């Protein structure tokens, strides 16, 4: 229907009164490091009135991280990785993990079933993208 202004506002008119009006947004042009709560919603209004529709869009602190053992081999597929004692995921192919709640200083605790190790690193959000960090050596 249109594009938002600098403040993210767009007036959509006319809407069908007392009926469902579907409002969608196109997320293709959003930077990769943005999170959105929904891409579509249904609204209905009274005759000759309007309403406000809020799509919550906010930046995330995300990265893919390459993890290797001391010999430079990617960590085992399925190893459990915990970020800052709060968020966990599993190691994917090629030793990759993805986290979207990185802090300025981060600590990864990795457990592959045979042992565990710790990796510490700093993260600075510099671009509107999701960077790949590492490889980090798990000791």
């Amino acid at each position: 229907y249109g594009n938002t202004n600098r403040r993210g506002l767009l007036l959509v008119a006319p809407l069908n009164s007392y009926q469902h009006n579907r409002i969608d947004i196109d997320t293709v042009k959003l930077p990769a490091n943005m999170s959105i709560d929904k891409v579509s919603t249904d609204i209905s209004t009274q005759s000759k009135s309007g309403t406000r529709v809020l799509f919550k869009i906010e930046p995330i602190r995300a990265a893919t991280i390459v993890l290797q053992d001391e010999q430079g081999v990617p960590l085992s597929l399925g190893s459990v990785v915990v970020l800052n004692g709060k968020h966990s995921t599993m190691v994917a192919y090629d030793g990759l993990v993805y986290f979207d709640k990185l802090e300025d200083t981060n600590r990864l605790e990795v457990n592959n079933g045979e042992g565990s190790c710790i990796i510490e690193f700093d993260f600075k959000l510099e671009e509107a993208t999701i960077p790949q960090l590492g490889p980090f050596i798990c000791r």
Side-chain angles (χ1 to χ4, degrees):
Y1 187 85
N3 294 311
T4 60
N5 64 12
R6 286 182 295 210
R7 295 178 45 211
L9 301 174
L10 173 68
L11 178 63
V12 178
L15 296 174
N16 295 323
S17 303
Y18 305 105
Q19 296 179 21
H20 290 284
N21 296 276
R22 185 177 189 100
I23 306 291
D24 300 305
I25 61 172
D26 182 7
T27 59
V28 172
K29 293 183 182 179
L30 286 178
N33 69 337
M34 299 301 275
S35 172
I36 185 166
D37 66 336
K38 62 187 173 216
V39 295
S40 179
T41 190
D42 286 325
I43 61 167
S44 59
T45 61
Q46 295 178 2
S47 181
K48 299 180 184 177
S49 68
T51 188
R52 181 178 180 197
V53 178
L54 178 64
F55 291 93
K56 187 176 179 184
I57 302 172
E58 58 189 11
I60 56 173
R61 297 175 54 91
T64 56
I65 305 165
V66 180
L67 303 177
Q68 298 177 344
D69 65 15
E70 292 178 326
Q71 288 75 38
V73 176
L75 291 187
S76 302
L77 183 68
S79 298
V80 176
V81 183
V82 179
L83 171 66
N84 299 325
K86 303 175 198 171
H87 314 284
S88 65
T89 192
M90 289 188 194
V91 175
Y93 291 105
D94 300 323
L96 288 175
V97 294
Y98 170 83
F99 284 105
D100 62 1
K101 302 210 184 308
L102 295 172
E103 299 176 10
D104 291 337
T105 301
N106 300 279
R107 178 184 172 104
L108 299 179
E109 298 173 37
V110 183
N111 187 330
N112 65 2
E114 299 173 11
S116 61
C117 61
I118 294 174
I119 299 168
E120 295 181 334
F121 65 95
D122 293 331
F123 177 74
K124 184 176 181 183
L125 184 62
E126 296 178 345
E127 300 176 19
T129 186
I130 298 177
Q132 181 170 304
L133 306 177
F136 294 120
I137 305 301
C138 196
R139 295 186 164 95

